[in-house]
Amino acid sequence: MQLVHRWRYRGHLHSWDGTCRLWDGNDLRGKTTFAAHEERCTDVRIHPSYRAGVDGPCAATGSSDGTAKLWDDHGGNLATYKGHADRLARIAFHPYGHHLATTSFDRTRRLWDVETEVELLLQGHSRAVYALAFQCDGSWCVSGRLDAVGWVWDLRTGRHIHTLTGHIKPILAVDVAEDGYTVATAGEDHTCRLWDLRQRRCIYTLPAHSSLISAACFETKQGGTLLTASYDGTVRLWSTTTYACLNTLKAHEGKVAAVAVAAEAALVFSAGFDKSLKRWCVDREGEGPNAL
């Protein structure tokens, strides 16, 4: 399962049975459930311009069947993106919402026109590509590979412009901060690395968890906070200035699959292999978290 990054008032959760569910983030009630794929879903993302009650694209899903699909909030299929030769890993909308990026175990990263379903860009790698995130204005993106290497791509030219090396096991999560130059990468080596692309170097390595890190994301409104989720059953909040652990959520009985933050309400959402979705009210000053 993968929870939608940068959760708004409603979000999607997907599962290994190929279904996708739309939830109300205020009360965690399921709104819409639909069969998205015949094989398991590997990722889901909310469209950047989606607003509840307004017609248009709501979300995209990626699947082990090698396709990505676009949906409205009633479960209607608006588009299907075909071309990958192996299962998809992660997907991401360009910040403007006109393009969708997909990563795959076929060792490629592809960029699609959301409306026409046309493949605009195909970039090959020497190993499977897993994680992906866009910079806030969409001029470049960063991908994480299963050979423990991150690549930064200039989308204006299609060229590889920088390599992130330092992890010793596969990279499973990446994100770009709102400042446009700080990148987080995390994965199977239990660490999360912070990179400053102005300096072209890793500025800090967080020994974040005791098991692999399944997700990492920056808080987008207040800034200065990074969230990580792990198979050790916890979600942790980190300061990106002091690198201190601000809070630990003992989130699930078993592996945590995903984490997201609702900046508007200072809420954190987590999803786990225990088949639960949880909403947390988090105190960054060190007091205990509140499971709502």
Side-chain angles (χ1 to χ4, degrees), residues 20 212 237 239:
C20 187
L212 73 79
L237 284 73
S239 167

Side-chain angles (χ1 to χ4, degrees), residues 47 57 70 79 81 93 97-100 112-118:
H47 191 277
L70 185 69
Y81 310 99
F93 279 108
H98 303 306
H99 304 107
L100 178 72
W112 310 82
D113 185 294
V114 168
E115 183 176 354
T116 66
E117 306 177 30
V118 173

